[in-house]
Amino acid sequence: MNSRPVDARLRRPERLSIVGAGYIGLPTAAGFADVGYEVTCVDINEEKISQLQAGRVTLHEPGLEQLVQHGLRTRRLRFSTDLASAARESSIVFVCVPTPQADDGSADLSFVEAVAAQLARVVHPGTILVTRSTVPVGTASRLREIIGRSDVHVAANPEFLREGSAVRDFLHPDRVLIGAVEPQVQRRLAELYDVFDAPVVVTDIPTAELTKHAANAFLATRLSFVNSMANICEAAGADVHDVMRVLGMDPRIGPKFLAAGPGWGGSCLPKDTRALAHVARELGEAFTQLESTVASNEQQFDRVVSRLAQHLEGGCAGRRIAVWGLAFKAGTNDLRDSPSVSVCRRLLAAGASITAHDPAVNATAVASLGVDYAETSIGACFGADALVVLTEWSEFANVEPASVASAMNGKVVFDTRNVLDANRWTDAGLTLLRVGRGSPDPLNDAASANAA
Ligand code: UGA
């Protein structure tokens, strides 16, 4: 990596500023520097910036720390807390600050708006201000009003990065989406991405803004459909994994993003589905299907707890539950809107106590959830009445079922992510429950027998 030359396809030596050194901003900054641009990444968090200046990345994101270190070595990547200086030196400024969910479900744009207001005072004429965070349709118009300068351009370039593969997704994108009005802005932004082997789609700004929300809403709807099918499969004694395997063979559907689970979550899908539903209501076009996608996901979390309670005599109250996995998916330590955390909250509300292990989540973060921390998978199981697997870390598949059986007090193991080998775990004398699979699950066997 050290000796990697600047990509020959780089057309112009744009100097870029990236505002926000989080899950979106940091891979964007390090990625643009990696292909040859001069990049300054700005954040208000001084501690984070000094860590980054020393080449330390606290996000659990494969390859990101190496990319940052490489950028620092080549001096193409710099970190700063000085937004004004960075923006004055840049021709293009990407805004990558959080757009969290507000109480009414809408996207809270206060961080984006505050950055735009600061930039308005300092940038040179001709600067392009680009939203890269996910923002609702109409945001660019709002920013234009805030900036109040006709010599500053506004554009949208939504990111499609997935946590856990953000570096790969940035360097090898499926597609690049640019929303801009002026032809020269469209051209300059498109040229930035010439260096990547990806189709670049240029649209108007509202289309670009809405497309990002549509993509995440579609993915969430797909998963709620899969989870609803899983529930029907449980009742019918069918196997959702086979159902989805066959569905996925249809090229119109495709095999990815069809895994049933405890419900979907993360820093994007939950807030973006709610934000789009909110926008739709405001536009007078209620998105009832998306509202029910969100509602059915909440029911999926409830269902994990109620199904577990059915298998614990007397329910969850006073029970000790071992939890494997807290992150919202494997490959990250991110707990934001994690399905596991949603399930843990419900278990605690039902009167259970929890000891949790996650290979990437540290003791402090675990304690903040009100659950006990275990350093190992087995450590979480001592004296437990049940074990629930809530994140699909592959290492859980390698744990010896016999050791779990002897550590636990009870026999119920609920694998909501389909990571455990059913035969090995039932052979160890454990009662294995799985999402979307009727058998081996005595209650469902009984239900399907009754149905027959
Ligand atoms: C999501 C989108 O997939 C990205 O395309 C998008 O760029 C990103 O949001 C964003 O807006 O920034 P991410 O939040 O990293 O990416 O997570 P996903 O991989 O989409 O997973 C979301 C949730 O769905 C997780 O809880 C995951 O466990 C769950 N999931 C995913 C399933 O339950 N089954 C699956 O088959 C796939």
Short mmCIF file of all heavy atoms in Angstrom, two decimals, residues 59-124:
data_model
loop_
_atom_site.label_atom_id
_atom_site.label_comp_id
_atom_site.label_asym_id
_atom_site.label_seq_id
_atom_site.Cartn_x
_atom_site.Cartn_y
_atom_site.Cartn_z
N LEU A 59 -13.11 3.14 15.23
CA LEU A 59 -14.23 2.41 14.63
C LEU A 59 -13.75 1.00 14.27
O LEU A 59 -12.63 0.83 13.79
CB LEU A 59 -14.71 3.08 13.34
CG LEU A 59 -15.17 4.53 13.42
CD1 LEU A 59 -15.59 5.02 12.04
CD2 LEU A 59 -16.31 4.65 14.39
N HIS A 60 -14.64 0.02 14.47
CA HIS A 60 -14.31 -1.35 14.09
C HIS A 60 -14.67 -1.52 12.61
O HIS A 60 -15.79 -1.87 12.27
CB HIS A 60 -15.14 -2.30 14.97
CG HIS A 60 -14.84 -3.74 14.76
ND1 HIS A 60 -14.05 -4.47 15.61
CD2 HIS A 60 -15.21 -4.59 13.80
CE1 HIS A 60 -13.96 -5.71 15.17
NE2 HIS A 60 -14.67 -5.80 14.08
N GLU A 61 -13.74 -1.20 11.75
CA GLU A 61 -14.05 -1.22 10.30
C GLU A 61 -12.85 -1.80 9.57
O GLU A 61 -11.80 -1.15 9.49
CB GLU A 61 -14.34 0.22 9.84
CG GLU A 61 -15.04 0.36 8.52
CD GLU A 61 -16.38 -0.35 8.44
OE1 GLU A 61 -17.27 -0.05 9.23
OE2 GLU A 61 -16.53 -1.22 7.58
N PRO A 62 -12.98 -3.01 9.03
CA PRO A 62 -11.83 -3.68 8.41
C PRO A 62 -11.12 -2.82 7.36
O PRO A 62 -11.77 -2.26 6.48
CB PRO A 62 -12.45 -4.93 7.76
CG PRO A 62 -13.72 -5.17 8.52
CD PRO A 62 -14.20 -3.82 8.98
N GLY A 63 -9.81 -2.71 7.50
CA GLY A 63 -8.99 -2.02 6.50
C GLY A 63 -8.94 -0.50 6.67
O GLY A 63 -8.14 0.17 6.02
N LEU A 64 -9.78 0.05 7.56
CA LEU A 64 -9.87 1.51 7.64
C LEU A 64 -8.62 2.12 8.27
O LEU A 64 -8.09 3.13 7.79
CB LEU A 64 -11.13 1.93 8.40
CG LEU A 64 -11.43 3.42 8.44
CD1 LEU A 64 -11.49 4.01 7.03
CD2 LEU A 64 -12.74 3.70 9.16
N GLU A 65 -8.12 1.48 9.33
CA GLU A 65 -6.95 2.05 10.00
C GLU A 65 -5.74 2.04 9.05
O GLU A 65 -5.00 3.04 8.97
CB GLU A 65 -6.63 1.27 11.28
CG GLU A 65 -5.61 1.98 12.14
CD GLU A 65 -5.57 1.44 13.55
OE1 GLU A 65 -4.95 0.38 13.77
OE2 GLU A 65 -6.16 2.08 14.44
N GLN A 66 -5.59 0.96 8.29
CA GLN A 66 -4.47 0.90 7.34
C GLN A 66 -4.60 1.98 6.28
O GLN A 66 -3.63 2.62 5.89
CB GLN A 66 -4.41 -0.47 6.62
CG GLN A 66 -4.06 -1.64 7.52
CD GLN A 66 -5.30 -2.28 8.11
OE1 GLN A 66 -6.20 -1.60 8.62
NE2 GLN A 66 -5.36 -3.60 8.07
N LEU A 67 -5.84 2.20 5.83
CA LEU A 67 -6.06 3.22 4.80
C LEU A 67 -5.74 4.62 5.33
O LEU A 67 -5.14 5.45 4.64
CB LEU A 67 -7.53 3.15 4.34
CG LEU A 67 -7.81 3.56 2.90
CD1 LEU A 67 -7.17 2.59 1.92
CD2 LEU A 67 -9.31 3.64 2.63
N VAL A 68 -6.15 4.86 6.59
CA VAL A 68 -5.86 6.15 7.22
C VAL A 68 -4.35 6.33 7.37
O VAL A 68 -3.78 7.38 7.03
CB VAL A 68 -6.57 6.25 8.59
CG1 VAL A 68 -6.01 7.39 9.42
CG2 VAL A 68 -8.08 6.44 8.39
N GLN A 69 -3.68 5.28 7.84
CA GLN A 69 -2.23 5.38 8.05
C GLN A 69 -1.52 5.63 6.72
O GLN A 69 -0.58 6.42 6.62
CB GLN A 69 -1.71 4.12 8.73
CG GLN A 69 -2.17 4.06 10.18
CD GLN A 69 -1.87 2.74 10.86
OE1 GLN A 69 -1.38 1.80 10.23
NE2 GLN A 69 -2.18 2.66 12.14
N HIS A 70 -2.01 4.95 5.68
CA HIS A 70 -1.42 5.13 4.35
C HIS A 70 -1.61 6.58 3.89
O HIS A 70 -0.67 7.22 3.39
CB HIS A 70 -2.08 4.16 3.37
CG HIS A 70 -1.64 4.36 1.95
ND1 HIS A 70 -0.34 4.15 1.54
CD2 HIS A 70 -2.32 4.77 0.85
CE1 HIS A 70 -0.24 4.41 0.25
NE2 HIS A 70 -1.43 4.79 -0.19
N GLY A 71 -2.81 7.12 4.12
CA GLY A 71 -3.09 8.51 3.73
C GLY A 71 -2.19 9.49 4.46
O GLY A 71 -1.70 10.46 3.87
N LEU A 72 -1.94 9.22 5.76
CA LEU A 72 -1.06 10.11 6.54
C LEU A 72 0.37 10.04 6.01
O LEU A 72 1.04 11.06 5.88
CB LEU A 72 -1.10 9.70 8.02
CG LEU A 72 -2.42 9.97 8.76
CD1 LEU A 72 -2.41 9.30 10.13
CD2 LEU A 72 -2.66 11.47 8.91
N ARG A 73 0.80 8.81 5.68
CA ARG A 73 2.17 8.65 5.19
C ARG A 73 2.39 9.40 3.87
O ARG A 73 3.42 10.02 3.66
CB ARG A 73 2.50 7.17 4.99
CG ARG A 73 2.98 6.47 6.26
CD ARG A 73 3.69 5.16 5.92
NE ARG A 73 2.84 4.26 5.19
CZ ARG A 73 1.99 3.40 5.74
NH1 ARG A 73 1.87 3.33 7.04
NH2 ARG A 73 1.25 2.62 4.98
N THR A 74 1.39 9.31 3.00
CA THR A 74 1.53 9.98 1.69
C THR A 74 1.28 11.48 1.81
O THR A 74 1.45 12.22 0.85
CB THR A 74 0.52 9.43 0.68
OG1 THR A 74 -0.80 9.67 1.18
CG2 THR A 74 0.70 7.95 0.43
N ARG A 75 0.82 11.92 3.00
CA ARG A 75 0.48 13.32 3.28
C ARG A 75 -0.69 13.81 2.44
O ARG A 75 -0.92 15.02 2.32
CB ARG A 75 1.69 14.25 3.07
CG ARG A 75 2.81 13.95 4.01
CD ARG A 75 3.98 14.89 3.76
NE ARG A 75 5.13 14.44 4.50
CZ ARG A 75 5.36 14.69 5.78
NH1 ARG A 75 4.51 15.43 6.45
NH2 ARG A 75 6.44 14.24 6.38
N ARG A 76 -1.40 12.89 1.81
CA ARG A 76 -2.60 13.33 1.07
C ARG A 76 -3.80 13.45 2.01
O ARG A 76 -4.79 14.05 1.68
CB ARG A 76 -2.91 12.35 -0.06
CG ARG A 76 -1.92 12.40 -1.21
CD ARG A 76 -2.47 11.79 -2.48
NE ARG A 76 -2.72 10.38 -2.36
CZ ARG A 76 -1.87 9.43 -2.71
NH1 ARG A 76 -0.69 9.76 -3.20
NH2 ARG A 76 -2.18 8.16 -2.57
N LEU A 77 -3.70 12.84 3.19
CA LEU A 77 -4.81 12.87 4.14
C LEU A 77 -4.38 13.62 5.39
O LEU A 77 -3.36 13.32 6.00
CB LEU A 77 -5.21 11.43 4.51
CG LEU A 77 -6.36 11.28 5.51
CD1 LEU A 77 -7.64 11.91 4.99
CD2 LEU A 77 -6.60 9.79 5.80
N ARG A 78 -5.20 14.63 5.74
CA ARG A 78 -4.91 15.39 6.96
C ARG A 78 -6.17 15.45 7.81
O ARG A 78 -7.28 15.34 7.30
CB ARG A 78 -4.50 16.83 6.59
CG ARG A 78 -3.13 16.87 5.93
CD ARG A 78 -2.70 18.30 5.71
NE ARG A 78 -3.61 18.97 4.79
CZ ARG A 78 -3.57 20.28 4.54
NH1 ARG A 78 -2.72 21.06 5.17
NH2 ARG A 78 -4.41 20.83 3.68
N PHE A 79 -5.96 15.63 9.10
CA PHE A 79 -7.10 15.74 10.01
C PHE A 79 -7.02 17.06 10.73
O PHE A 79 -5.94 17.52 11.10
CB PHE A 79 -7.10 14.58 11.01
CG PHE A 79 -7.37 13.26 10.35
CD1 PHE A 79 -6.33 12.40 10.01
CD2 PHE A 79 -8.66 12.90 10.04
CE1 PHE A 79 -6.56 11.20 9.38
CE2 PHE A 79 -8.92 11.69 9.40
CZ PHE A 79 -7.87 10.84 9.07
N SER A 80 -8.19 17.66 10.99
CA SER A 80 -8.20 18.99 11.60
C SER A 80 -9.52 19.23 12.31
O SER A 80 -10.53 18.61 12.00
CB SER A 80 -8.00 20.03 10.48
OG SER A 80 -8.21 21.32 10.99
N THR A 81 -9.48 20.16 13.26
CA THR A 81 -10.74 20.60 13.88
C THR A 81 -11.14 21.97 13.32
O THR A 81 -12.15 22.52 13.73
CB THR A 81 -10.58 20.73 15.42
OG1 THR A 81 -9.44 21.54 15.68
CG2 THR A 81 -10.43 19.38 16.08
N ASP A 82 -10.33 22.49 12.42
CA ASP A 82 -10.55 23.84 11.91
C ASP A 82 -11.34 23.80 10.60
O ASP A 82 -10.77 23.71 9.50
CB ASP A 82 -9.17 24.50 11.71
CG ASP A 82 -9.29 25.95 11.30
OD1 ASP A 82 -10.41 26.40 10.99
OD2 ASP A 82 -8.24 26.62 11.26
N LEU A 83 -12.65 23.86 10.73
CA LEU A 83 -13.53 23.76 9.55
C LEU A 83 -13.28 24.90 8.57
O LEU A 83 -13.18 24.68 7.36
CB LEU A 83 -15.00 23.76 10.00
CG LEU A 83 -16.04 23.74 8.89
CD1 LEU A 83 -15.98 22.44 8.10
CD2 LEU A 83 -17.45 23.92 9.45
N ALA A 84 -13.15 26.12 9.10
CA ALA A 84 -13.03 27.28 8.21
C ALA A 84 -11.80 27.17 7.32
O ALA A 84 -11.88 27.34 6.10
CB ALA A 84 -12.99 28.56 9.05
N SER A 85 -10.65 26.84 7.93
CA SER A 85 -9.42 26.77 7.12
C SER A 85 -9.51 25.66 6.09
O SER A 85 -9.13 25.85 4.93
CB SER A 85 -8.19 26.52 8.00
OG SER A 85 -8.10 27.52 8.96
N ALA A 86 -10.02 24.51 6.52
CA ALA A 86 -10.12 23.37 5.58
C ALA A 86 -11.03 23.74 4.42
O ALA A 86 -10.70 23.49 3.25
CB ALA A 86 -10.65 22.13 6.32
N ALA A 87 -12.18 24.35 4.73
CA ALA A 87 -13.16 24.66 3.68
C ALA A 87 -12.62 25.71 2.73
O ALA A 87 -12.86 25.65 1.52
CB ALA A 87 -14.47 25.12 4.32
N ARG A 88 -11.86 26.67 3.25
CA ARG A 88 -11.31 27.73 2.39
C ARG A 88 -10.30 27.18 1.39
O ARG A 88 -10.13 27.70 0.31
CB ARG A 88 -10.63 28.80 3.25
CG ARG A 88 -11.56 29.95 3.55
CD ARG A 88 -10.82 31.13 4.12
NE ARG A 88 -11.58 31.67 5.23
CZ ARG A 88 -11.27 31.54 6.50
NH1 ARG A 88 -10.17 30.94 6.86
NH2 ARG A 88 -12.03 32.04 7.43
N GLU A 89 -9.64 26.09 1.79
CA GLU A 89 -8.62 25.51 0.90
C GLU A 89 -9.22 24.52 -0.10
O GLU A 89 -8.50 23.95 -0.90
CB GLU A 89 -7.60 24.72 1.74
CG GLU A 89 -6.68 25.59 2.54
CD GLU A 89 -5.83 24.76 3.49
OE1 GLU A 89 -5.94 23.51 3.46
OE2 GLU A 89 -5.08 25.36 4.25
N SER A 90 -10.54 24.25 0.00
CA SER A 90 -11.12 23.16 -0.79
C SER A 90 -12.02 23.68 -1.89
O SER A 90 -12.69 24.70 -1.73
CB SER A 90 -11.95 22.25 0.11
OG SER A 90 -11.16 21.78 1.17
N SER A 91 -12.07 22.91 -2.97
CA SER A 91 -13.01 23.25 -4.04
C SER A 91 -14.34 22.52 -3.84
O SER A 91 -15.37 22.96 -4.32
CB SER A 91 -12.40 22.89 -5.39
OG SER A 91 -11.86 21.58 -5.33
N ILE A 92 -14.27 21.38 -3.13
CA ILE A 92 -15.48 20.59 -2.89
C ILE A 92 -15.51 20.20 -1.41
O ILE A 92 -14.50 19.71 -0.88
CB ILE A 92 -15.50 19.32 -3.77
CG1 ILE A 92 -15.36 19.69 -5.26
CG2 ILE A 92 -16.79 18.52 -3.55
CD1 ILE A 92 -15.28 18.51 -6.20
N VAL A 93 -16.64 20.41 -0.76
CA VAL A 93 -16.77 20.06 0.66
C VAL A 93 -17.90 19.04 0.81
O VAL A 93 -19.04 19.31 0.43
CB VAL A 93 -17.11 21.30 1.52
CG1 VAL A 93 -17.20 20.91 2.99
CG2 VAL A 93 -16.07 22.40 1.33
N PHE A 94 -17.56 17.87 1.34
CA PHE A 94 -18.57 16.83 1.57
C PHE A 94 -19.04 16.91 3.02
O PHE A 94 -18.22 16.91 3.94
CB PHE A 94 -17.97 15.44 1.34
CG PHE A 94 -17.74 15.12 -0.11
CD1 PHE A 94 -16.54 15.45 -0.72
CD2 PHE A 94 -18.73 14.52 -0.87
CE1 PHE A 94 -16.32 15.16 -2.06
CE2 PHE A 94 -18.53 14.24 -2.21
CZ PHE A 94 -17.32 14.56 -2.80
N VAL A 95 -20.34 16.92 3.21
CA VAL A 95 -20.89 16.98 4.57
C VAL A 95 -21.30 15.57 4.98
O VAL A 95 -22.18 14.96 4.37
CB VAL A 95 -22.10 17.94 4.63
CG1 VAL A 95 -22.67 17.98 6.03
CG2 VAL A 95 -21.67 19.33 4.19
N CYS A 96 -20.61 15.05 5.98
CA CYS A 96 -20.81 13.66 6.41
C CYS A 96 -21.14 13.60 7.90
O CYS A 96 -20.69 12.71 8.61
CB CYS A 96 -19.55 12.84 6.15
SG CYS A 96 -19.03 12.82 4.44
N VAL A 97 -21.89 14.58 8.38
CA VAL A 97 -22.22 14.60 9.81
C VAL A 97 -23.52 13.84 10.05
O VAL A 97 -24.29 13.61 9.11
CB VAL A 97 -22.33 16.06 10.34
CG1 VAL A 97 -20.98 16.75 10.23
CG2 VAL A 97 -23.39 16.85 9.59
N PRO A 98 -23.79 13.43 11.30
CA PRO A 98 -24.96 12.58 11.55
C PRO A 98 -26.29 13.27 11.23
O PRO A 98 -26.42 14.50 11.36
CB PRO A 98 -24.87 12.29 13.05
CG PRO A 98 -23.47 12.58 13.44
CD PRO A 98 -22.98 13.64 12.50
N THR A 99 -27.24 12.46 10.81
CA THR A 99 -28.63 12.93 10.61
C THR A 99 -29.53 11.99 11.43
O THR A 99 -30.22 11.15 10.88
CB THR A 99 -29.03 12.87 9.12
OG1 THR A 99 -28.74 11.56 8.61
CG2 THR A 99 -28.28 13.90 8.31
N PRO A 100 -29.47 12.12 12.77
CA PRO A 100 -30.18 11.15 13.62
C PRO A 100 -31.69 11.30 13.51
O PRO A 100 -32.20 12.24 12.89
CB PRO A 100 -29.71 11.52 15.04
CG PRO A 100 -29.28 12.94 14.95
CD PRO A 100 -28.81 13.18 13.56
N GLN A 101 -32.37 10.35 14.16
CA GLN A 101 -33.83 10.38 14.12
C GLN A 101 -34.36 11.34 15.18
O GLN A 101 -33.95 11.27 16.34
CB GLN A 101 -34.32 8.97 14.39
CG GLN A 101 -35.80 8.78 14.20
CD GLN A 101 -36.19 7.37 14.55
OE1 GLN A 101 -35.60 6.42 14.06
NE2 GLN A 101 -37.15 7.23 15.44
N ALA A 102 -35.26 12.22 14.79
CA ALA A 102 -35.90 13.10 15.77
C ALA A 102 -37.07 12.36 16.41
O ALA A 102 -37.44 11.27 15.97
CB ALA A 102 -36.40 14.37 15.07
N ASP A 103 -37.64 12.94 17.46
CA ASP A 103 -38.70 12.26 18.20
C ASP A 103 -39.90 11.89 17.33
O ASP A 103 -40.55 10.88 17.55
CB ASP A 103 -39.19 13.15 19.37
CG ASP A 103 -38.12 13.25 20.44
OD1 ASP A 103 -37.21 12.40 20.44
OD2 ASP A 103 -38.18 14.20 21.26
N ASP A 104 -40.19 12.72 16.32
CA ASP A 104 -41.35 12.43 15.46
C ASP A 104 -41.02 11.51 14.30
O ASP A 104 -41.83 11.32 13.40
CB ASP A 104 -41.96 13.75 14.95
CG ASP A 104 -40.97 14.54 14.08
OD1 ASP A 104 -39.82 14.07 13.91
OD2 ASP A 104 -41.35 15.60 13.57
N GLY A 105 -39.83 10.93 14.29
CA GLY A 105 -39.45 10.00 13.22
C GLY A 105 -38.74 10.69 12.07
O GLY A 105 -38.13 10.03 11.23
N SER A 106 -38.80 12.01 12.00
CA SER A 106 -38.13 12.72 10.90
C SER A 106 -36.62 12.71 11.12
O SER A 106 -36.14 12.38 12.21
CB SER A 106 -38.64 14.16 10.83
OG SER A 106 -38.26 14.84 12.00
N ALA A 107 -35.88 13.09 10.06
CA ALA A 107 -34.42 13.20 10.21
C ALA A 107 -34.10 14.54 10.86
O ALA A 107 -34.59 15.58 10.42
CB ALA A 107 -33.76 13.10 8.84
N ASP A 108 -33.27 14.51 11.88
CA ASP A 108 -32.85 15.73 12.56
C ASP A 108 -31.67 16.31 11.76
O ASP A 108 -30.58 15.73 11.73
CB ASP A 108 -32.43 15.36 13.99
CG ASP A 108 -31.81 16.54 14.73
OD1 ASP A 108 -31.62 17.60 14.12
OD2 ASP A 108 -31.51 16.37 15.94
N LEU A 109 -31.92 17.42 11.11
CA LEU A 109 -30.91 18.00 10.22
C LEU A 109 -30.07 19.08 10.89
O LEU A 109 -29.35 19.82 10.23
CB LEU A 109 -31.60 18.58 8.98
CG LEU A 109 -32.24 17.54 8.06
CD1 LEU A 109 -32.96 18.23 6.91
CD2 LEU A 109 -31.19 16.59 7.51
N SER A 110 -30.17 19.18 12.22
CA SER A 110 -29.51 20.32 12.87
C SER A 110 -27.99 20.32 12.67
O SER A 110 -27.39 21.38 12.50
CB SER A 110 -29.87 20.39 14.36
OG SER A 110 -29.62 19.18 14.97
N PHE A 111 -27.37 19.13 12.64
CA PHE A 111 -25.90 19.11 12.44
C PHE A 111 -25.55 19.57 11.02
O PHE A 111 -24.62 20.35 10.81
CB PHE A 111 -25.33 17.71 12.69
CG PHE A 111 -25.51 17.23 14.10
CD1 PHE A 111 -26.37 16.17 14.38
CD2 PHE A 111 -24.85 17.82 15.16
CE1 PHE A 111 -26.55 15.72 15.68
CE2 PHE A 111 -25.02 17.39 16.46
CZ PHE A 111 -25.88 16.33 16.72
N VAL A 112 -26.30 19.06 10.05
CA VAL A 112 -26.04 19.42 8.65
C VAL A 112 -26.26 20.92 8.46
O VAL A 112 -25.45 21.61 7.82
CB VAL A 112 -26.98 18.63 7.71
CG1 VAL A 112 -26.82 19.07 6.26
CG2 VAL A 112 -26.73 17.13 7.82
N GLU A 113 -27.34 21.42 9.04
CA GLU A 113 -27.65 22.84 8.87
C GLU A 113 -26.60 23.73 9.54
O GLU A 113 -26.21 24.77 9.00
CB GLU A 113 -29.04 23.13 9.43
CG GLU A 113 -30.12 22.48 8.58
CD GLU A 113 -31.53 22.68 9.12
OE1 GLU A 113 -31.69 23.25 10.23
OE2 GLU A 113 -32.45 22.23 8.45
N ALA A 114 -26.13 23.29 10.70
CA ALA A 114 -25.11 24.08 11.40
C ALA A 114 -23.82 24.14 10.57
O ALA A 114 -23.19 25.20 10.47
CB ALA A 114 -24.84 23.48 12.78
N VAL A 115 -23.45 23.01 9.97
CA VAL A 115 -22.24 23.00 9.13
C VAL A 115 -22.43 23.93 7.94
O VAL A 115 -21.55 24.73 7.59
CB VAL A 115 -21.92 21.55 8.67
CG1 VAL A 115 -20.87 21.55 7.58
CG2 VAL A 115 -21.45 20.71 9.86
N ALA A 116 -23.61 23.84 7.31
CA ALA A 116 -23.87 24.70 6.13
C ALA A 116 -23.77 26.18 6.51
O ALA A 116 -23.20 26.99 5.77
CB ALA A 116 -25.24 24.37 5.54
N ALA A 117 -24.31 26.52 7.68
CA ALA A 117 -24.29 27.93 8.11
C ALA A 117 -22.84 28.38 8.32
O ALA A 117 -22.47 29.50 7.94
CB ALA A 117 -25.10 28.09 9.38
N GLN A 118 -22.02 27.51 8.89
CA GLN A 118 -20.61 27.89 9.10
C GLN A 118 -19.88 28.03 7.77
O GLN A 118 -19.10 28.96 7.57
CB GLN A 118 -19.90 26.83 9.94
CG GLN A 118 -20.34 26.80 11.40
CD GLN A 118 -19.65 25.62 12.10
OE1 GLN A 118 -18.44 25.60 12.22
NE2 GLN A 118 -20.43 24.67 12.55
N LEU A 119 -20.15 27.07 6.87
CA LEU A 119 -19.46 27.10 5.58
C LEU A 119 -19.82 28.36 4.79
O LEU A 119 -18.98 28.94 4.10
CB LEU A 119 -19.82 25.85 4.77
CG LEU A 119 -19.24 24.54 5.31
CD1 LEU A 119 -19.82 23.34 4.55
CD2 LEU A 119 -17.71 24.53 5.18
N ALA A 120 -21.09 28.77 4.92
CA ALA A 120 -21.57 29.94 4.16
C ALA A 120 -20.70 31.16 4.43
O ALA A 120 -20.50 32.00 3.55
CB ALA A 120 -23.01 30.22 4.53
N ARG A 121 -20.16 31.24 5.62
CA ARG A 121 -19.38 32.43 6.00
C ARG A 121 -17.94 32.38 5.48
O ARG A 121 -17.28 33.40 5.45
CB ARG A 121 -19.36 32.58 7.54
CG ARG A 121 -20.73 32.91 8.13
CD ARG A 121 -20.60 33.38 9.56
NE ARG A 121 -20.22 32.30 10.45
CZ ARG A 121 -21.10 31.50 11.07
NH1 ARG A 121 -22.37 31.67 10.90
NH2 ARG A 121 -20.67 30.53 11.87
N VAL A 122 -17.48 31.18 5.10
CA VAL A 122 -16.03 31.08 4.84
C VAL A 122 -15.63 30.61 3.44
O VAL A 122 -14.51 30.90 3.01
CB VAL A 122 -15.37 30.14 5.88
CG1 VAL A 122 -15.49 30.73 7.28
CG2 VAL A 122 -15.92 28.73 5.84
N VAL A 123 -16.49 29.87 2.75
CA VAL A 123 -15.99 29.25 1.50
C VAL A 123 -15.83 30.27 0.38
O VAL A 123 -16.50 31.30 0.35
CB VAL A 123 -16.91 28.09 1.02
CG1 VAL A 123 -16.87 26.94 1.99
CG2 VAL A 123 -18.34 28.57 0.79
N HIS A 124 -14.92 29.94 -0.54
CA HIS A 124 -14.68 30.81 -1.69
C HIS A 124 -15.81 30.64 -2.72
O HIS A 124 -16.43 29.58 -2.78
CB HIS A 124 -13.35 30.44 -2.36
CG HIS A 124 -12.16 30.78 -1.51
ND1 HIS A 124 -11.91 32.06 -1.09
CD2 HIS A 124 -11.18 30.00 -1.00
CE1 HIS A 124 -10.81 32.07 -0.35
NE2 HIS A 124 -10.35 30.82 -0.27
#
